Amino acid sequence: MQKKFVFGFGEKEAAITLPEDQILHIVEGKAVEAITDVPAAIKAALRNPIDSPPLQEVVKAGDKVALIASDITRRISYPEFLPTLLNELNGAGIPDSDITIVVSLGSHRKHTDQENIAVYGQEAVNRVHLVQSYAPNTEDFVYVGKTSRGVETYLNKHIVAADKVIMTGGIIYHSMAGFAGGRKAIMPGVAGYSTIQGNHSFCLHDVAGQGINPNCMAGKLDGNNMHADMMEMAAMLKQTFLFNAIFTPEGKFARFVAGHWHTAWLEGCKTVEEIFGVPITAKADLVIASAGGFPKDINLYQATKTTENAFMAVKDDGVIIALLECRDIMEPPDFSGWFNYESLYDREIALRKAFTVPGFIALKTGLFAKKVPHIIVTLPQNKEFIEKAGLIAATTLEEAMAIAEQKLGRTDYTITLMPHGANTVPLLQE
């Protein structure tokens, strides 16, 4: 029996008919209802936190409160919840004049004034003081200790000087740290440049030339040295309180978690797994994945979330087909430029000298494609760059299937489909 399957491709769709008896899994996220009364849900989380007294008992009149907020590269919908959070602090005797928003840029560029308004909302920007934690500004950071792995930890002086620190952000799967949110507000959010470099180096293999650390991957916390090192850094701050959001597949608020910076965050991670982690019983010979269309496949940098997730569902001798329009194929330059290195070894050595997240993603993409052929269905004009990146370019799904069958060398292969591969993470059940 043949069945038609449809995948997002940019703002269009691509369809293919496949034998049903060869389909091993269809990896889709769990349907979940969005929160309808956001302020009420925020208050409920703050007043009934996990492993912590309520926020209004954690802070007291006279405290200087630093609120760590994610930067423009994260879609957290701050205008929807910052006013409620600020009002809760006011209710505990903390006036707006004693609250500072610290923008957790890490080593990302600074915001413009207009971007601050766009990200945090006009009300929050008008009400409280705002500073930007930009890692290369060494004078803004103070030494707070050294991790057991030897990384000297420098954190933003506004955070260290605060009486109370509220860590905000969103929890999603993270391709290096396992999950975003929680301790990431501290590291890399408000950490100094040398500290970020030291921590991120754990994403690379202990031995130069061996590529990446296999334990630094989406959904993995045990054995993940990068995560463990981040945890030690976050623990160096004593007066912290967490407020994190979890989202629906459509990007609406699904849940808020608040309380202890670690245990409340772990609860949020469990919810992320429930929504976006999809159990699979076996890996497939062929994985066909789509990011879900635009904007998730706007460029290859964004689209690698799809290929990385697909890699978790494919056999070692299998093939991946990814439908990725990539209309802005060369963006951002700090990602695409990494493919100018002649070899993966050269790319890795350069990354060890000056670590960047785009560089790491470029290295991982190349290493994964070397292990398992990646056939990318994309725009015809992207062919040169796709092949330069070590991938195989195709302009139609039919062309990609023909290449895949040639690579597999047979027609009785198993297939796993990932229509929203950018968001869904296959979890192999051992």
Side-chain angles (χ1 to χ4, degrees), residues 112-295:
T112 64
D113 291 342
Q114 291 74 21
E115 286 171 335
N116 282 331
I117 293 168
V119 175
Y120 309 116
Q122 188 73 62
E123 179 182 344
V125 171
N126 286 350
R127 285 177 61 176
V128 301
H129 184 52
L130 185 149
V131 298
Q132 304 196 51
S133 181
Y134 179 55
N137 282 0
T138 53
E139 66 273 14
D140 289 343
F141 298 85
V142 295
Y143 180 76
V144 294
K146 183 186 289 189
T147 68
S148 64
R149 291 165 184 80
V151 180
E152 293 188 341
T153 303
Y154 292 85
L155 299 181
N156 188 279
K157 60 187 180 185
H158 293 94
I159 297 298
V160 176
D163 297 304
K164 300 292 189 303
V165 176
I166 300 175
M167 302 155 63
T168 75
I171 308 175
I172 58 173
Y173 277 108
H174 191 275
S175 66
M176 294 151 58
F179 293 90
R183 72 281 184 255
K184 279 189 95 264
I186 306 298
M187 181 34 250
V190 294
Y193 190 77
S194 63
T195 302
I196 295 172
Q197 293 292 311
N199 172 264
H200 282 15
S201 69
F202 296 118
C203 295
L204 297 170
H205 199 282
D206 291 344
V207 180
Q210 294 296 307
I212 62 175
N213 181 343
N215 289 321
C216 291
M217 59 184 290
K220 186 168 178 58
L221 299 178
D222 291 342
N224 186 330
N225 285 345
M226 176 188 180
H227 159 68
D229 199 61
M230 295 165 78
M231 290 288 293
E232 289 187 30
M233 293 179 185
M236 292 177 188
L237 286 175
K238 300 305 179 189
Q239 304 298 326
T240 53
F241 185 90
L242 177 115
F243 179 78
N244 274 182
I246 299 100
F247 307 93
T248 70
E250 297 74 33
K252 304 293 185 182
F253 291 123
R255 183 186 181 188
F256 296 109
V257 290
H260 188 277
W261 68 272
H262 182 213
T263 52
W265 170 73
L266 284 178
E267 275 297 307
C269 293
K270 289 177 186 175
T271 303
V272 170
E273 270 198 332
E274 289 168 8
I275 299 172
F276 298 105
V278 184
I280 60 173
T281 56
K283 294 187 177 184
D285 299 306
L286 173 64
V287 174
I288 305 175
S290 164
F294 182 86

Side-chain angles (χ1 to χ4, degrees), residues 22 48 75 114-115 132 214 221 273 331 352 378 400 405:
Q22 289 181 233
N48 302 280
R75 296 182 179 179
Q114 291 74 21
E115 286 171 335
Q132 304 196 51
L221 299 178
E273 270 198 332
E331 296 294 328
R352 288 181 183 275
T378 189
E405 289 193 352

Side-chain angles (χ1 to χ4, degrees), residues 1-159:
M1 182 77 72
Q2 298 280 315
K3 185 174 180 180
K4 181 181 175 182
F5 298 94
V6 178
F7 297 88
F9 181 77
E11 292 173 280
K12 299 178 182 178
E13 291 181 335
I16 189 169
T17 301
L18 298 167
E20 276 194 276
D21 61 353
Q22 289 181 233
I23 305 298
L24 193 59
H25 295 101
I26 299 175
V27 177
E28 282 283 31
K30 180 181 174 183
V32 59
E33 287 189 16
I35 292 170
T36 53
D37 189 339
V38 172
I42 294 166
K43 290 175 186 175
L46 296 175
R47 295 175 184 182
N48 302 280
I50 298 164
D51 285 345
S52 167
L55 177 62
Q56 291 194 344
E57 293 177 21
V58 170
V59 297
K60 64 180 188 299
D63 281 347
K64 302 293 185 184
V65 176
L67 194 155
I68 304 175
S70 302
D71 74 350
I72 197 170
T73 64
R74 307 290 185 261
R75 296 182 179 179
I76 311 293
S77 302
Y78 275 102
E80 289 191 62
F81 70 77
L82 268 181
T84 303
L85 183 52
L86 296 176
N87 291 343
E88 285 292 291
L89 289 169
N90 294 165
I94 311 293
D96 288 344
S97 57
D98 284 345
I99 304 169
T100 300
I101 291 176
V102 181
V103 181
S104 56
L105 296 167
S107 55
H108 297 165
R109 66 165 179 82
K110 291 183 178 180
H111 289 181
T112 64
D113 291 342
Q114 291 74 21
E115 286 171 335
N116 282 331
I117 293 168
V119 175
Y120 309 116
Q122 188 73 62
E123 179 182 344
V125 171
N126 286 350
R127 285 177 61 176
V128 301
H129 184 52
L130 185 149
V131 298
Q132 304 196 51
S133 181
Y134 179 55
N137 282 0
T138 53
E139 66 273 14
D140 289 343
F141 298 85
V142 295
Y143 180 76
V144 294
K146 183 186 289 189
T147 68
S148 64
R149 291 165 184 80
V151 180
E152 293 188 341
T153 303
Y154 292 85
L155 299 181
N156 188 279
K157 60 187 180 185
H158 293 94
I159 297 298

Side-chain angles (χ1 to χ4, degrees), residues 299-380:
N299 55 45
L300 187 61
Y301 184 53
Q302 291 299 324
T304 56
K305 295 170 186 172
T306 302
T307 54
E308 286 186 23
N309 290 341
F311 188 81
M312 297 172 71
V314 72
K315 290 180 179 177
D316 291 345
D317 58 352
V319 176
I320 291 170
I321 294 175
L323 294 95
L324 307 169
E325 185 192 58
C326 297
R327 62 183 69 174
D328 295 337
I329 189 68
M330 298 303 292
E331 296 294 328
D334 54 350
F335 172 71
S336 58
W338 283 90
F339 295 102
N340 292 328
Y341 289 99
E342 288 192 7
S343 70
L344 288 171
Y345 177 80
D346 290 343
R347 197 180 300 174
E348 178 189 337
I349 297 305
L351 192 62
R352 288 181 183 275
K353 290 178 181 175
F355 190 99
T356 72
V357 173
F360 177 79
I361 299 301
L363 176 62
K364 184 187 273 191
T365 300
L367 290 169
F368 282 7
K370 189 177 179 181
K371 282 186 177 181
V372 172
H374 286 42
I375 305 165
I376 309 300
V377 180
T378 189
L379 299 174

